Amino acid sequence: MNNSKVRIPKEIAPDVFAQAAQLYAQENQDYSLEEIMQAGAEVQIPPEVIQQAIQQIQAKQIQERDRQRKLKLILTIGGIGAAIALFGFWTYNTFASNATPSGRSLEANLPSANLANANPLEIPPAPPPGLPPAAGTTFTGEVKQYLLNPEGKVDGLLLNNGLQVKFPPQMADSLVRIITPDTKVSIFGDPGFSTRFGQEVRAKSITNSETGQTLVEQPPTTAPQPPKSNYSTLSAEGTAQNWLVGHRGEINGVIISNGTIVKFPPHVGEQLTSMANIKNTIQAKGFGTRNRYGQILEATALSVNDQSVSLQPKAIIDP
């Protein structure tokens, strides 16, 4: 029998498609990060939004695991506390029943402590380790290149001293008019943690030291617009010139020798902490943007010194 000639009534066609989708989903229980990125690109969802969604879901799972652990801990401590209270009550009654002949309790025969002359220990609290410098610091340097967000908008500067200056992308048009590569600048802003990979500064103002023109951080005057879908499949290869970091010092990208910015989530950077160095050989594939300000890609495949780096989100393991 030729199945291609079988006619399906239109009233059951939606049920057929729904059942087929369910069967397909049962056969495909998980997807690679690249498959999800490709599916998102087809419906114009930026790669970084997909990464953010994955991280938020993982955070919720971790919070739920922590809540369950804390609940178990509270119940356990409560049971131990009740047992201690019962033991204390029994001990007190035992001592009270064995009071001294004079009628005084055992406690009354104990010598009183001379607390009047006791000096309390005055131990000042230790400052938390690794705090960043105080907010509102001035830095100087020379612009090496623009930093971009995944949509290709300028959202920062890399200085020749390795400092990574970040500012809101709505200020990009104003900034590129007064600041160009090789310009000497003065930055006033909030510094992040300093690491061997670099330091991020969230700029409050940027001054062109040669012309005196200053750009001051301003809130957006219009509602945020959805990102334009101008992504394309890109690949890049070269040697690491600058590792990029976030405000807490976490590695979240690298600039290679041809100027391409390769971005990836912080959990990927955790794998690279011990191996990341200048002149590492980098190979990357992903989705990104190329324009007159540079090239940036969000990695879906990455290797360092010919060693493949996993980009899969951290697995949540049940306790």
Side-chain angles (χ1 to χ4, degrees):
M1 181 178 178
N2 189 351
N3 291 333
S4 63
K5 295 182 180 180
V6 176
R7 306 292 295 178
I8 305 298
K10 64 179 182 180
E11 59 270 15
I12 70 168
D15 294 334
V16 171
F17 286 123
Q19 183 67 21
Q22 183 178 356
L23 291 173
Y24 181 79
Q26 291 174 351
E27 295 177 359
N28 296 272
Q29 296 297 322
D30 52 32
Y31 304 92
S32 70
L33 181 60
E34 185 170 4
E35 289 172 337
I36 294 177
M37 291 289 192
Q38 290 174 344
E42 292 177 0
V43 293
Q44 301 184 358
I45 299 178
E48 73 276 7
V49 174
I50 293 176
Q51 292 280 9
Q52 184 179 5
I54 292 173
Q55 291 172 7
Q56 288 178 352
I57 291 173
Q58 289 180 323
K60 290 180 180 178
Q61 291 177 323
I62 292 172
Q63 289 173 355
E64 178 61 22
R65 297 293 189 276
D66 289 343
R67 190 185 69 83
Q68 293 291 341
R69 291 191 185 100
K70 289 178 181 178
L71 181 59
K72 291 178 181 178
L73 181 61
I74 290 171
L75 292 175
T76 301
I77 293 174
I80 294 173
I84 292 173
L86 289 174
F87 178 77
F89 181 73
W90 173 83
T91 303
Y92 176 80
N93 285 339
T94 301
F95 284 166
S97 63
N98 293 293
T100 61
S102 61
R104 292 184 300 166
S105 65
L106 182 62
E107 293 93 328
N109 290 322
L110 294 174
S112 59
N114 184 8
L115 300 179
N117 296 322
N119 293 321
L121 293 177
E122 297 180 355
I123 303 176
L131 285 178
T137 305
T138 299
F139 301 87
T140 59
E142 185 175 303
V143 177
K144 186 175 181 180
Q145 77 173 76
Y146 292 127
L147 299 178
L148 311 177
N149 67 9
E151 285 77 49
K153 292 185 70 70
V154 176
D155 71 346
L157 303 169
L158 174 66
L159 305 189
N160 59 354
N161 55 13
L163 202 68
Q164 300 160 33
V165 183
K166 302 292 286 185
F167 58 88
Q170 73 265 14
M171 299 168 62
D173 293 340
S174 300
L175 184 123
V176 298
R177 284 196 294 266
I178 69 170
I179 304 293
T180 60
D182 301 324
T183 300
K184 290 181 172 60
V185 294
S186 175
I187 311 296
F188 179 77
D190 297 331
F193 291 93
S194 178
T195 72
R196 72 180 182 91
F197 305 108
Q199 182 180 18
E200 182 189 84
V201 174
R202 293 176 180 171
K204 295 181 180 296
S205 67
I206 302 176
T207 300
N208 184 323
S209 301
E210 299 166 2
T211 65
Q213 292 175 289
T214 298
L215 181 65
V216 179
E217 178 187 12
Q218 298 290 339
T221 56
T222 59
Q225 299 297 315
K228 296 180 181 179
S229 178
N230 57 352
Y231 294 104
S232 58
T233 302
L234 298 175
S235 62
E237 182 175 352
T239 57
Q241 301 298 301
N242 291 90
W243 290 93
L244 301 177
V245 298
H247 209 64
R248 298 186 303 277
E250 70 279 12
I251 302 175
N252 58 21
V254 62
I255 299 177
I256 61 177
S257 49
N258 65 0
T260 299
I261 301 170
V262 178
K263 298 289 286 184
F264 43 75
H267 77 265
V268 176
E270 293 176 5
Q271 304 174 53
L272 301 175
T273 301
S274 61
M275 63 185 296
N277 287 294
I278 302 302
K279 301 302 183 181
N280 286 143
T281 300
I282 307 295
Q283 294 176 317
K285 295 181 181 180
F287 297 92
T289 306
R290 181 189 297 114
N291 58 31
R292 61 191 174 118
Y293 300 119
Q295 176 172 293
I296 181 170
L297 68 85
E298 192 84 22
T300 58
L302 178 68
S303 69
V304 178
N305 292 337
D306 297 323
Q307 180 177 342
S308 179
V309 178
S310 173
L311 300 180
Q312 298 294 337
K314 286 183 177 179
I316 304 299
I317 303 175
D318 289 330

